[in-house]
Amino acid sequence: MTFRTYQHWINGAEQAPASQAYIERVSPAHGGLLAKFASGNEHDVDAAVAQAKALHTSGAWQSVPGSERAKLLTRLADLMERDADRLAVIEAEEVGKPIAYAKGEVLWSAELTRFAASLAWQIKGEAYTHLGDDKLGLVTREARGVVGLIVPWNFPLVCLFQKLPYALAAGCPVVIKPSELTSGSALEIARLAAEAGFPAGLINVVTGRGAVVGERLTRHPDVSMISFTGSTRVGKQIAATAAADLTRVALELGGKAANVVFADADLEAALDGVLFGVILNQGEECVAGTRLLIEASVADEFVSKLVARANKVVVGLPLDEKTQIGALIHAQHLESVLSYIDIGKQQGARLVCGGERLTDGELGEGYFVGPTIFTEVQPHHRIFREEIFGPVLTVTTFTTVEQAISLANDTDYGLGNGLWTKDVDKALQVSQKLQSGTVFVNTYLETAPQLPFGGFKQSGYGRENGVDGLHEFLEVKSTFIKLGARSPLLPNTLG
Ligand code: NAD
């Protein structure tokens, strides 16, 4: 892949940054220079918001019938599939993730776009007709207005596509703020959207640092809503900033998911799901199944088989098709993951797999950590409680269903959890008690576009995907209509 230079994308065209400054992205896998992104400031944000607002006010998008919006979304999905290989390379290189998974993420993003297109046909309200013959009540839904989409670096496309096609389906223009580490794919999408025929000014991308570009977007008086995916720390900051103008906020934040494995589960399937759940995307995944809760009677055998499998996971360069774990996002994050591994050891957990930086051969210039497993982990250990965002699994045993539920819920987060059992009663009863927006049963990280995604507790609020994902971007309006002659309420004032 060749070195890429990107500008902002504003009003359907490239625009150089007002500052003339750029941010370089160096590969986390081999240290080579990959790309250069415009370093945005408040002037760039203001220019993009002005275009989005002008488009919204003109009605050039919100007045377009949903069926037409759907056609353009479908065309965008077609173009993403056409260019899936190229987009996957950009995603894999900038994030450091395995190309084999990156390709699937591009196709999944296209799938979400097709689903959102189907919703654009069906935006509807309600009519209340039994209010008496002379009254009618209408509930309708309108586009919220200009929306700021702020996304992180771990799944640049998937996180964007849990928002973008739904906002467009709802009739909202957007200003996208991708991560300064992984901005390439969002800019490529903006170009594809122009090719698909979306109007200029509808999809704008301003790249740069969160504290500058993201902050200005959140404060901007003409932005009606911020849809944010990222850390709980920044999410809280955004909610506080947005509160000044009561700008609406949807927050997809951190997680600390548990995978609960009961002794009566298909343990072969659970081994595969638990391992995949913690190694996907190097563990840099908000719903990574980082806490294995395993029934004590099967724990020893399960863990020894898990370690054997973990040792076979292929850690390698992102563009190698065989790679299953790529590079961590940057040096500082590598240090953070390694320091959590130290903390785990210091607090008394037992390291049974991995646990160090890998530097052999072609891995020497990158930030690689293989699957890492700790047993004897207690709920007060920091590795049980804090989001590590690396391929680090903690193992804790339980003996009763109640204990399993209580351990799973013993976290500030509530994004996802998994559970494994062949007992239908247990599966349904436990899933109802798990405090998370998603529960995977007898699988992990598998879902469908129809199912909403979002968090309980400090994993955020608001929902993406499903019909709820569309409704995030719609305001509700009530219209009460009096039919026929109206009896005056102030008859004494009549002339
Ligand atoms: P982050 O919070 O550091 O940054 C996310 C985005 O916010 C980036 O674009 C960043 O530039 C921007 N930003 C930073 N400071 C800002 C500010 N003050 N105002 C406005 N924008 C600002 O997160 P990250 O390190 O890029 O991503 C990792 C985090 O994202 C993890 O905590 C992970 O759990 C979370 N995540 C959550 C989900 C989910 O759906 N719940 C999905 C993926 C990642």
Side-chain angles (χ1 to χ4, degrees):
M1 193 81 193
T2 48
F3 173 72
R4 304 176 288 271
T5 301
Y6 291 102
Q7 315 294 340
H8 301 307
W9 185 269
I10 298 175
N11 200 26
E14 289 192 327
Q15 188 167 308
S19 67
Q20 301 297 327
Y22 290 82
I23 296 171
E24 291 186 339
R25 177 59 174 146
V26 170
S27 165
H30 55 67
L33 192 56
L34 297 173
K36 200 166 94 158
F37 306 121
S39 181
N41 64 19
E42 61 275 22
H43 299 295
D44 303 313
V45 175
D46 291 356
V49 173
Q51 294 299 334
K53 188 188 174 196
L55 184 92
H56 190 61
T57 312
S58 75
W61 188 244
Q62 58 168 334
S63 302
V64 168
S67 56
E68 290 302 312
R69 291 181 210 151
K71 281 177 198 153
L72 289 172
L73 284 164
T74 304
R75 213 172 291 156
L76 175 61
D78 290 343
L79 295 179
M80 289 168 72
E81 285 168 1
R82 180 195 72 189
D83 289 0
D85 287 329
R86 194 173 59 82
L87 291 168
V89 169
I90 292 170
E91 200 81 337
E93 284 195 329
E94 290 179 12
V95 182
K97 68 170 72 202
I99 185 79
Y101 301 143
K103 175 93 184 272
E105 289 161 27
V106 176
L107 298 178
W108 174 248
S109 301
E111 191 81 344
L112 294 176
T113 307
R114 292 189 193 288
F115 173 67
S118 77
L119 298 178
W121 282 89
Q122 307 186 53
I123 300 172
K124 58 189 177 211
E126 297 99 52
Y128 286 88
T129 55
H130 285 234
L131 308 178
D133 287 346
D134 61 341
K135 298 180 197 93
L136 183 63
L138 294 181
V139 181
T140 51
R141 295 188 168 80
E142 300 175 1
R144 280 204 198 283
V146 177
V147 180
L149 308 180
I150 303 179
V151 286
W153 48 259
N154 61 338
F155 288 97
L157 271 183
V158 173
C159 289
L160 178 60
F161 275 80
Q162 295 198 169
K163 308 175 187 300
L164 176 65
Y166 300 91
L168 298 177
C172 299
V174 301
V175 178
I176 300 168
K177 201 315 250 171
S179 165
E180 55 272 37
L181 300 163
T182 58
S183 304
S185 56
L187 290 153
E188 297 286 343
I189 291 298
R191 279 172 194 275
L192 288 184
E195 186 183 339
F198 284 95
L202 180 66
I203 301 172
N204 305 279
V205 185
V206 180
T207 55
R209 309 217 179 269
V212 181
V213 176
E215 169 81 12
R216 175 62 187 158
L217 199 53
T218 307
R219 281 191 194 282
H220 202 295
D222 293 331
V223 171
S224 307
M225 175 181 176
I226 293 289
S227 175
F228 171 81
T229 301
S231 60
T232 296
R233 180 184 65 79
V234 174
K236 287 180 181 175
Q237 250 173 283
I238 286 180
T241 304
D245 282 341
L246 295 180
T247 301
R248 288 186 192 271
V249 178
L251 301 171
E252 295 289 342
L253 309 177
K256 192 72 187 173
N259 235 323
V260 184
V261 178
F262 292 97
D264 62 7
D266 174 345
L267 295 176
E268 279 297 306
L271 281 166
D272 186 68
V274 167
L275 189 54
F276 181 70
V278 76
I279 64 120
L280 180 71
N281 216 47
Q282 305 73 244
E284 295 167 323
E285 148 96 44
C286 50
V287 265
T290 73
R291 296 180 299 146
L292 168 62
L293 306 179
I294 174 105
E295 195 156 347
S297 58
V298 293
D300 288 349
E301 194 184 343
F302 190 90
V303 171
S304 76
K305 285 184 177 168
L306 192 66
V307 170
R309 288 188 188 207
N311 283 323
K312 293 186 201 154
V313 168
V314 180
V315 182
L317 293 179
L319 296 190
D320 184 337
E321 288 284 347
K322 293 189 295 301
T323 295
Q324 294 169 312
I325 289 190
L328 295 171
I329 191 75
H330 50 50
Q332 206 187 338
H333 187 55
L334 169 76
E335 288 313 315
S336 163
V337 171
L338 293 174
S339 83
Y340 271 113
I341 293 171
D342 275 346
I343 290 166
K345 291 187 221 164
Q346 281 161 24
Q347 287 198 301
R350 194 155 77 88
L351 182 67
V352 295
C353 182
E356 55 197 20
R357 179 179 183 179
L358 304 177
T359 52
D360 282 354
E362 61 186 13
L363 305 186
E365 300 301 313
Y367 312 128
F368 294 92
V369 172
T372 296
I373 303 177
F374 279 101
T375 58
E376 298 171 30
V377 177
Q378 307 289 322
H380 70 272
H381 290 166
R382 285 182 59 192
I383 56 172
F384 184 94
R385 311 207 72 77
E386 297 174 25
E387 189 179 46
I388 300 172
F389 234 51
V392 180
L393 182 73
T394 67
V395 184
T396 307
T397 57
F398 66 85
T399 50
T400 65
V401 172
E402 293 67 33
Q403 201 188 359
I405 294 167
S406 141
L407 282 166
N409 290 338
D410 187 5
T411 167
D412 292 336
Y413 296 107
L415 195 56
N417 283 300
L419 72 93
W420 302 78
T421 174
K422 284 185 187 158
D423 178 336
V424 177
D425 288 346
K426 202 189 283 177
L428 290 175
Q429 284 170 341
V430 174
S431 63
Q432 283 173 12
K433 292 199 172 128
L434 291 176
Q435 295 162 353
S436 57
T438 295
V439 178
F440 303 100
V441 178
N442 292 331
T443 188
Y444 203 75
L445 296 175
E446 251 184 276
T447 185
Q450 294 90 330
L451 299 190
F453 179 77
F456 285 17
K457 304 197 276 187
Q458 294 203 25
S459 291
Y461 41 71
R463 288 295 179 269
E464 299 188 329
N465 298 343
V467 178
D468 301 72
L470 174 78
H471 285 177
E472 283 288 351
F473 298 103
L474 292 167
E475 280 295 352
V476 174
K477 177 178 280 179
S478 294
T479 306
F480 183 90
I481 304 167
K482 174 80 180 80
L483 304 173
R486 176 177 177 276
S487 314
L489 291 173
L490 301 170
N492 56 313
T493 65
L494 297 178

